[in-house]
Structure formats: structure tokens, C-alpha cells
Amino acid sequence: MSGTNVDQLPGDSALFSGLSKKELKAVSRLFTPLTVAQGTVLTREGEVGREAMLITSGTASVEREGNKVATLGPGEFFGELALLTGAPRMAMVTADTEMVVAALSRQEFASLLDTSPKLAQKILVDAVRRLREGAA
Ligand code: CMP
């Protein structure tokens, strides 16, 4: 079954602050929760991207060309760049621990951006930051 409940989304995620109850409910329906084992490669640099993920629990490492560039944790999003740009994955993301992630298909991600302009703005600001870091 797909769809999470509002209380399954990371409540402390700055991404969702300022959303109305109605928006939160609509947003939470879009996500599919997945448990992944430590060491799982969640995105591979250079591959086509088909989903974006929000971390519910656990942490993941972000590597570009073999160099670690970031650690991501609960409430953080990844995999959005390939969906936004249509370009190949910019980095490899690997689970450092067992993780629970909330996944979105390309279409669900597009619906997420449509649900709330506030949320879309936050996701886009983070995406631009990551692209700038990648270009540096
Ligand atoms: P995407 O390119 O689809 O797949 C790899 C993901 O790693 C990318 O989307 C971002 O979500 C994430 N990512 C890339 N670069 C960084 C960075 N510098 N900091 C944090 N996350 C990043």
C-alpha cells in the first residue's frame, strides 16, 4: 500500500513547517515508506533518476566522484535534482545505517511541488545550493 500518515513524516523537518493541516495531509499521501539496509546504494552517480526520497530515520552519505560531500539525516531530501533537471544523478547516496525513507515517483514529486508553493520554494532553494556546490 502506498501513502504515509502525517505522523510518519519527520515531524521536525523544516520542509514542512508552515504547511496547513490540509496541505500536510495531501503531502503525506504522496510518499511511500521504505526500509533499507545499511550499505544500500540509493542513487548512483550518472544514472537516470526515477525517484526522490525524504529521510524519516537513519543517515546517508553523499559522494561525488568518490569524495564525500555531505551526510544527510532525518527530514532531509535527496534525489530531487535528477527529477527537476532531467539530468543524470549528480552523486551517489549510500545508507550509512538502516534507514526509513519516504519515496516519491517523478509524478508524485511533481504533485508535491504543486501542493504547496512554500514547500516547493524550500526544495528548490536546497536544489540550487547543491547544484552550486557541485559546480564549485
Ligand atoms: P540527484 O542528482 O537526483 O541524485 C543524487 C542526489 O544527491 C542529488 O539528487 C541530491 O539530492 C544529493 N546531493 C547532490 N549533491 C549534494 C550536496 N552537495 N549536498 C547534499 N546533497 C547533495
Side-chain angles (χ1 to χ4, degrees):
M1 201 184 85
S2 91
T4 52
N5 295 318
V6 176
D7 56 10
Q8 285 179 289
L9 292 173
D12 57 353
S13 177
L15 273 179
F16 299 117
S17 65
L19 263 67
S20 67
K21 272 197 175 151
K22 200 174 149 198
E23 283 173 331
L24 272 176
K25 213 172 163 185
V27 160
S28 58
R29 271 199 215 108
L30 298 168
F31 290 94
T32 301
L34 295 173
T35 301
V36 297
Q38 180 180 14
T40 304
V41 176
L42 296 160
T43 71
R44 278 181 204 281
E45 193 170 349
E47 287 194 352
V48 171
R50 293 191 181 80
E51 60 280 309
M53 287 172 224
L54 174 71
I55 302 175
T56 304
S57 65
T59 60
S61 289
V62 183
E63 286 171 63
R64 297 195 66 222
E65 292 168 356
N67 299 314
K68 186 162 168 170
V69 296
T71 300
L72 301 176
E76 293 186 287
F77 224 85
F78 65 90
E80 78 291 13
L81 295 181
L83 300 190
L84 287 168
T85 63
R89 295 287 196 201
M90 215 181 137
M92 178 165 89
V93 178
T94 311
D96 291 334
T97 61
E98 181 179 271
M99 298 177 77
V100 179
V101 295
L104 294 167
S105 67
R106 183 181 293 271
Q107 220 168 0
E108 289 161 342
F109 182 62
S111 301
L112 179 78
L113 298 181
D114 284 344
T115 306
S116 158
K118 261 188 203 152
L119 179 60
Q121 197 180 347
K122 287 180 192 170
I123 290 173
L124 292 177
V125 168
D126 277 347
V128 172
R129 270 203 199 112
R130 289 170 176 180
L131 287 169
R132 284 176 64 114
E133 277 167 25

mmCIF file of all heavy atoms in Angstrom, residues 4-6 9 15-31 115-116:
data_model
loop_
_atom_site.group_PDB
_atom_site.id
_atom_site.type_symbol
_atom_site.label_atom_id
_atom_site.label_comp_id
_atom_site.label_asym_id
_atom_site.label_seq_id
_atom_site.Cartn_x
_atom_site.Cartn_y
_atom_site.Cartn_z
ATOM 1 N N THR A 4 1.794 7.597 3.223
ATOM 2 C CA THR A 4 2.161 7.605 4.634
ATOM 3 C C THR A 4 1.110 8.420 5.384
ATOM 4 O O THR A 4 0.326 9.134 4.777
ATOM 5 C CB THR A 4 3.531 8.284 4.850
ATOM 6 O OG1 THR A 4 3.502 9.558 4.216
ATOM 7 C CG2 THR A 4 4.666 7.466 4.301
ATOM 8 N N ASN A 5 1.112 8.297 6.712
ATOM 9 C CA ASN A 5 0.280 9.179 7.520
ATOM 10 C C ASN A 5 1.116 10.387 7.871
ATOM 11 O O ASN A 5 2.343 10.336 7.846
ATOM 12 C CB ASN A 5 -0.130 8.471 8.814
ATOM 13 C CG ASN A 5 -1.019 7.289 8.509
ATOM 14 O OD1 ASN A 5 -1.892 7.391 7.656
ATOM 15 N ND2 ASN A 5 -0.763 6.182 9.181
ATOM 16 N N VAL A 6 0.418 11.453 8.203
ATOM 17 C CA VAL A 6 1.128 12.682 8.572
ATOM 18 C C VAL A 6 2.156 12.390 9.660
ATOM 19 O O VAL A 6 3.284 12.861 9.613
ATOM 20 C CB VAL A 6 0.122 13.756 9.061
ATOM 21 C CG1 VAL A 6 0.850 14.986 9.544
ATOM 22 C CG2 VAL A 6 -0.847 14.116 7.953
ATOM 23 N N LEU A 9 5.703 11.138 8.695
ATOM 24 C CA LEU A 9 6.687 12.037 8.096
ATOM 25 C C LEU A 9 7.533 12.615 9.223
ATOM 26 O O LEU A 9 7.048 12.758 10.338
ATOM 27 C CB LEU A 9 5.981 13.182 7.352
ATOM 28 C CG LEU A 9 5.212 12.773 6.105
ATOM 29 C CD1 LEU A 9 4.422 13.954 5.564
ATOM 30 C CD2 LEU A 9 6.145 12.241 5.027
ATOM 31 N N LEU A 15 11.198 21.386 6.268
ATOM 32 C CA LEU A 15 10.500 21.413 4.980
ATOM 33 C C LEU A 15 9.001 21.608 5.150
ATOM 34 O O LEU A 15 8.349 22.252 4.343
ATOM 35 C CB LEU A 15 10.667 20.059 4.266
ATOM 36 C CG LEU A 15 11.873 19.806 3.393
ATOM 37 C CD1 LEU A 15 11.788 18.403 2.855
ATOM 38 C CD2 LEU A 15 11.942 20.817 2.262
ATOM 39 N N PHE A 16 8.458 21.005 6.205
ATOM 40 C CA PHE A 16 7.009 21.003 6.359
ATOM 41 C C PHE A 16 6.486 22.084 7.292
ATOM 42 O O PHE A 16 5.276 22.196 7.476
ATOM 43 C CB PHE A 16 6.530 19.625 6.848
ATOM 44 C CG PHE A 16 6.859 18.532 5.874
ATOM 45 C CD1 PHE A 16 7.713 17.508 6.223
ATOM 46 C CD2 PHE A 16 6.338 18.553 4.598
ATOM 47 C CE1 PHE A 16 8.038 16.511 5.312
ATOM 48 C CE2 PHE A 16 6.655 17.574 3.676
ATOM 49 C CZ PHE A 16 7.505 16.556 4.032
ATOM 50 N N SER A 17 7.402 22.873 7.863
ATOM 51 C CA SER A 17 6.920 23.912 8.774
ATOM 52 C C SER A 17 6.162 24.951 7.945
ATOM 53 O O SER A 17 6.551 25.282 6.826
ATOM 54 C CB SER A 17 8.084 24.544 9.540
ATOM 55 O OG SER A 17 8.926 25.209 8.643
ATOM 56 N N GLY A 18 5.072 25.416 8.481
ATOM 57 C CA GLY A 18 4.282 26.437 7.779
ATOM 58 C C GLY A 18 3.223 25.856 6.865
ATOM 59 O O GLY A 18 2.438 26.603 6.283
ATOM 60 N N LEU A 19 3.178 24.532 6.733
ATOM 61 C CA LEU A 19 2.121 23.942 5.897
ATOM 62 C C LEU A 19 0.835 23.798 6.718
ATOM 63 O O LEU A 19 0.896 23.514 7.912
ATOM 64 C CB LEU A 19 2.550 22.553 5.390
ATOM 65 C CG LEU A 19 3.154 22.527 3.975
ATOM 66 C CD1 LEU A 19 4.489 23.246 3.960
ATOM 67 C CD2 LEU A 19 3.335 21.101 3.492
ATOM 68 N N SER A 20 -0.292 23.987 6.055
ATOM 69 C CA SER A 20 -1.574 23.810 6.746
ATOM 70 C C SER A 20 -1.807 22.308 6.962
ATOM 71 O O SER A 20 -1.157 21.480 6.319
ATOM 72 C CB SER A 20 -2.708 24.389 5.907
ATOM 73 O OG SER A 20 -2.859 23.602 4.728
ATOM 74 N N LYS A 21 -2.769 21.990 7.839
ATOM 75 C CA LYS A 21 -3.094 20.581 8.089
ATOM 76 C C LYS A 21 -3.530 19.890 6.809
ATOM 77 O O LYS A 21 -3.189 18.742 6.550
ATOM 78 C CB LYS A 21 -4.220 20.482 9.128
ATOM 79 C CG LYS A 21 -3.688 20.462 10.529
ATOM 80 C CD LYS A 21 -4.720 19.970 11.516
ATOM 81 C CE LYS A 21 -4.076 19.850 12.885
ATOM 82 N NZ LYS A 21 -5.002 20.041 13.964
ATOM 83 N N LYS A 22 -4.290 20.625 6.005
ATOM 84 C CA LYS A 22 -4.800 20.086 4.747
ATOM 85 C C LYS A 22 -3.631 19.784 3.790
ATOM 86 O O LYS A 22 -3.585 18.724 3.156
ATOM 87 C CB LYS A 22 -5.751 21.116 4.126
ATOM 88 C CG LYS A 22 -6.693 20.548 3.119
ATOM 89 C CD LYS A 22 -7.695 21.606 2.677
ATOM 90 C CE LYS A 22 -8.075 21.318 1.237
ATOM 91 N NZ LYS A 22 -8.678 22.474 0.586
ATOM 92 N N GLU A 23 -2.711 20.712 3.727
ATOM 93 C CA GLU A 23 -1.539 20.512 2.851
ATOM 94 C C GLU A 23 -0.716 19.318 3.327
ATOM 95 O O GLU A 23 -0.286 18.481 2.529
ATOM 96 C CB GLU A 23 -0.669 21.770 2.820
ATOM 97 C CG GLU A 23 -1.223 22.876 1.949
ATOM 98 C CD GLU A 23 -0.437 24.172 2.070
ATOM 99 O OE1 GLU A 23 0.165 24.446 3.136
ATOM 100 O OE2 GLU A 23 -0.434 24.941 1.099
ATOM 101 N N LEU A 24 -0.523 19.240 4.663
ATOM 102 C CA LEU A 24 0.259 18.130 5.227
ATOM 103 C C LEU A 24 -0.369 16.779 4.900
ATOM 104 O O LEU A 24 0.326 15.821 4.572
ATOM 105 C CB LEU A 24 0.350 18.269 6.744
ATOM 106 C CG LEU A 24 1.494 19.102 7.280
ATOM 107 C CD1 LEU A 24 1.382 19.212 8.795
ATOM 108 C CD2 LEU A 24 2.846 18.509 6.893
ATOM 109 N N LYS A 25 -1.687 16.738 4.965
ATOM 110 C CA LYS A 25 -2.402 15.500 4.686
ATOM 111 C C LYS A 25 -2.226 15.118 3.211
ATOM 112 O O LYS A 25 -1.929 13.959 2.888
ATOM 113 C CB LYS A 25 -3.894 15.689 5.006
ATOM 114 C CG LYS A 25 -4.538 14.445 5.519
ATOM 115 C CD LYS A 25 -5.938 14.739 6.007
ATOM 116 C CE LYS A 25 -6.711 13.438 6.122
ATOM 117 N NZ LYS A 25 -8.097 13.678 6.473
ATOM 118 N N ALA A 26 -2.356 16.106 2.339
ATOM 119 C CA ALA A 26 -2.210 15.855 0.896
ATOM 120 C C ALA A 26 -0.792 15.395 0.580
ATOM 121 O O ALA A 26 -0.571 14.461 -0.198
ATOM 122 C CB ALA A 26 -2.556 17.115 0.119
ATOM 123 N N VAL A 27 0.180 16.043 1.227
ATOM 124 C CA VAL A 27 1.588 15.729 1.000
ATOM 125 C C VAL A 27 1.903 14.313 1.475
ATOM 126 O O VAL A 27 2.544 13.533 0.773
ATOM 127 C CB VAL A 27 2.472 16.779 1.744
ATOM 128 C CG1 VAL A 27 3.863 16.284 1.980
ATOM 129 C CG2 VAL A 27 2.476 18.089 0.982
ATOM 130 N N SER A 28 1.416 13.970 2.669
ATOM 131 C CA SER A 28 1.799 12.677 3.241
ATOM 132 C C SER A 28 1.260 11.515 2.416
ATOM 133 O O SER A 28 1.860 10.444 2.381
ATOM 134 C CB SER A 28 1.371 12.576 4.701
ATOM 135 O OG SER A 28 -0.008 12.752 4.798
ATOM 136 N N ARG A 29 0.164 11.733 1.717
ATOM 137 C CA ARG A 29 -0.409 10.677 0.870
ATOM 138 C C ARG A 29 0.483 10.317 -0.301
ATOM 139 O O ARG A 29 0.357 9.244 -0.882
ATOM 140 C CB ARG A 29 -1.750 11.143 0.306
ATOM 141 C CG ARG A 29 -2.871 10.811 1.204
ATOM 142 C CD ARG A 29 -4.184 10.852 0.430
ATOM 143 N NE ARG A 29 -5.208 11.341 1.327
ATOM 144 C CZ ARG A 29 -5.755 12.546 1.252
ATOM 145 N NH1 ARG A 29 -5.421 13.379 0.294
ATOM 146 N NH2 ARG A 29 -6.639 12.912 2.134
ATOM 147 N N LEU A 30 1.361 11.244 -0.682
ATOM 148 C CA LEU A 30 2.185 11.029 -1.883
ATOM 149 C C LEU A 30 3.351 10.073 -1.632
ATOM 150 O O LEU A 30 3.855 9.443 -2.544
ATOM 151 C CB LEU A 30 2.744 12.370 -2.379
ATOM 152 C CG LEU A 30 1.713 13.409 -2.821
ATOM 153 C CD1 LEU A 30 2.377 14.764 -3.012
ATOM 154 C CD2 LEU A 30 1.046 12.966 -4.116
ATOM 155 N N PHE A 31 3.793 10.001 -0.385
ATOM 156 C CA PHE A 31 5.006 9.236 -0.061
ATOM 157 C C PHE A 31 4.746 7.753 0.166
ATOM 158 O O PHE A 31 3.710 7.380 0.692
ATOM 159 C CB PHE A 31 5.637 9.791 1.218
ATOM 160 C CG PHE A 31 6.248 11.159 1.079
ATOM 161 C CD1 PHE A 31 5.521 12.293 1.387
ATOM 162 C CD2 PHE A 31 7.552 11.307 0.646
ATOM 163 C CE1 PHE A 31 6.086 13.555 1.276
ATOM 164 C CE2 PHE A 31 8.126 12.554 0.534
ATOM 165 C CZ PHE A 31 7.396 13.685 0.849
ATOM 166 N N THR A 115 1.472 20.997 -4.538
ATOM 167 C CA THR A 115 0.646 21.069 -3.321
ATOM 168 C C THR A 115 0.881 22.342 -2.537
ATOM 169 O O THR A 115 -0.053 22.932 -2.015
ATOM 170 C CB THR A 115 0.948 19.862 -2.398
ATOM 171 O OG1 THR A 115 0.775 18.692 -3.155
ATOM 172 C CG2 THR A 115 0.043 19.824 -1.196
ATOM 173 N N SER A 116 2.148 22.745 -2.433
ATOM 174 C CA SER A 116 2.444 23.886 -1.583
ATOM 175 C C SER A 116 3.582 24.722 -2.170
ATOM 176 O O SER A 116 4.714 24.241 -2.283
ATOM 177 C CB SER A 116 2.828 23.388 -0.186
ATOM 178 O OG SER A 116 3.577 24.361 0.482
#
